[in-house]
Amino acid sequence: MNVNKGFATLAALCASVFVVGTSEYLISGLLPQVGADLDVSVGTAGQAVTAYALGVVVGGPVMALLTARLSRKGLAVGLMALFAAGSAISALAPSFGLLLVGRVVSSLSHAAFLALALVTAARVVPAEKTGSAIATVASGFTVATLLGVPLGALLGQSAGWRAPFAVLTALAVAGTVLLAAVLPRQEVPAARLRDEIRVVARRPVMLAIATTAVGFSGVATVFTYIAPLLTWVSGFSAAAVSGLLLAYGVGSFLGNLTAGKLTDKSMSATVRGVFGGLTGTLLLIPFAAVWQPTAVAAVLVLGLLATATIAPLQGLILRHAGAAPTLAVSANVGAFNLGAAAGSVIGGTIVAVGALRWTGLAGAALSLIGLALTYLVLPRTRTAQDAEPEVSTLTAA
């Protein structure tokens, strides 16, 4: 693949990742409107995040296994079409139950598509640039947080919560057409299903997946309910909350790209620094939220750290995956969403008992566990460079 075609391929994938990524947390900024329109509580409305996340966790690995032998181009186009169908169901849902159905349909394409994009990115750069490549593709996801989620929340404020899902459907259809036009045809992957399963069963991969799930649940515990926290505790208007979500997205975008570059230098230091920072930030949020200036600072720092674990943890998995990375990467994408599901349930429980302000304490405890797990994934005595000989052994196994 020449440079121009490679750039066009990655650009199309990144644009599509932006569309898919917008869907995941779009509803987080619309919970009060969804709850009022469909006659459910804010805590119940938050379970629309849970439904999507669980769809990714369960459906992602299943889709990866079922599609392992399909053409990459056909798979990408089909996954985007499935996502468009789910978004349309969500936009038209007359009840909360049907909204959940639409969310699950969309979620089935999420992990498999993102895995496809990340694996493609890693294969078009030298091995020592894997972290930066992963961060570049994942920037589609962070730009979704930067622009898609807050703009969707702003549109939902003025035109109703269904309007953002209608726009998302149109963008998904456009993404499907773009992928069909731009992606080159590729040979069917040579890896067998048992190769994919064997990679996931490797200890470093399993530990990385566990670290992702536990660590990210801390972020989700707070972020799922960030709109009511900023409205009811900090006293911001709905329009101001949209602006703060934009600030969160700026932090996510910058943090992801920075973490990618740092991962190329030291994977272990990067992932531990991120989890340590998350633990401290989440611990302070209950106290920062009561004063608007510190609430703004806390949201910005949380955004800076929230997605910075993507590059080091996905890079670790790709390092051990060899020629069969699809299921492992998809499982780790699912782990982020398992963390989102767990976090939204934990946060919802805390909100239900009237303790919305204190979700950060639970989040900090979960991130601290994630930090502890990093010492099992990447022992202090090992560096990224030291791990290279082991990769060859594992790949050949």
Side-chain angles (χ1 to χ4, degrees):
M1 183 182 296
N2 63 42
V3 174
N4 290 336
K5 287 184 178 179
F7 177 80
T9 297
L10 292 180
L13 289 171
C14 285
S16 299
V17 166
F18 165 77
V19 176
V20 173
T22 298
S23 178
E24 183 165 15
Y25 285 117
L26 174 63
I27 203 165
S28 294
L30 304 170
L31 293 182
Q33 297 95 312
V34 171
D37 184 44
L38 299 181
D39 195 25
V40 296
S41 68
V42 171
T44 299
Q47 301 316 305
V49 177
T50 307
Y52 190 97
L54 291 178
V56 175
V57 172
V58 176
V62 172
M63 293 288 286
L65 286 173
L66 293 178
T67 61
R69 299 290 294 167
L70 296 182
S71 159
R72 299 297 90 180
K73 178 174 182 176
L75 175 59
V77 171
L79 290 173
M80 279 303 294
L82 180 64
F83 177 82
S87 298
I89 294 172
S90 297
L92 299 172
S95 67
F96 185 67
L98 199 55
L99 172 63
L100 293 182
V101 171
R103 296 284 289 167
V104 170
V105 170
S106 292
S107 72
L108 292 177
S109 70
H110 182 112
F113 184 84
L114 187 53
L116 181 152
L118 293 174
V119 170
T120 299
R123 286 177 173 171
V124 297
V125 298
E128 65 273 13
K129 296 294 183 182
T130 296
S132 296
I134 292 171
T136 299
V137 171
S139 67
F141 187 86
T142 56
V143 171
T145 308
L146 171 61
L147 295 178
V149 173
L151 290 178
L154 192 61
L155 177 60
Q157 296 289 339
S158 59
W161 68 268
R162 297 177 188 276
F165 283 99
V167 172
L168 197 64
T169 302
L171 291 175
V173 171
T176 302
V177 174
L178 177 64
L179 291 172
V182 172
L183 292 187
R185 294 190 177 277
Q186 302 177 47
E187 294 182 0
V188 174
R192 296 165 294 182
L193 293 182
R194 67 182 182 184
D195 295 327
E196 297 278 357
I197 294 172
R198 186 165 53 195
V199 165
V200 174
R202 290 172 181 162
R203 183 176 182 272
V205 174
M206 292 290 288
L207 285 172
I209 292 171
T211 303
T212 296
V214 174
F216 195 69
S217 63
V219 175
T221 298
V222 173
F223 186 69
T224 302
Y225 300 95
I226 195 73
L229 176 71
L230 294 172
T231 302
W232 300 339
V233 176
S234 303
F236 288 104
S237 66
V241 170
S242 296
L244 287 172
L245 289 175
L246 180 62
Y248 178 95
V250 170
S252 293
F253 178 74
L254 296 176
N256 170 63
L257 292 179
T258 301
K261 294 184 180 299
L262 293 175
T263 296
D264 292 335
K265 297 179 179 180
S266 175
M267 184 179 294
S268 59
T270 301
V271 73
R272 287 172 190 148
V274 170
F275 275 121
L278 278 174
T279 300
T281 301
L282 291 168
L283 186 64
L284 292 174
I285 279 180
F287 310 99
V290 297
W291 189 42
Q292 289 188 350
T294 52
V296 171
V299 169
L300 195 60
V301 174
L302 181 62
L304 188 68
L305 297 170
T307 59
T309 58
I310 295 175
L313 291 174
Q314 291 286 23
L316 176 67
I317 285 176
L318 285 171
R319 177 168 287 164
H320 288 280
T326 305
L327 178 59
V329 174
S330 179
N332 201 47
V333 171
F336 276 100
N337 289 272
L338 179 60
S344 65
V345 170
I346 294 169
T349 302
I350 295 171
V351 170
V353 299
L356 171 64
R357 177 185 168 188
W358 303 102
T359 54
L361 298 185
L366 290 164
S367 291
L368 184 61
I369 295 172
L371 175 61
L373 285 173
T374 64
Y375 288 90
L376 297 177
V377 180
L378 290 163
R380 184 183 292 273
T381 55
R382 299 283 300 280
T383 65
Q385 290 75 20
D386 293 335
E388 290 300 335
E390 183 180 352
V391 176
S392 300
T393 302
L394 287 170
T395 304

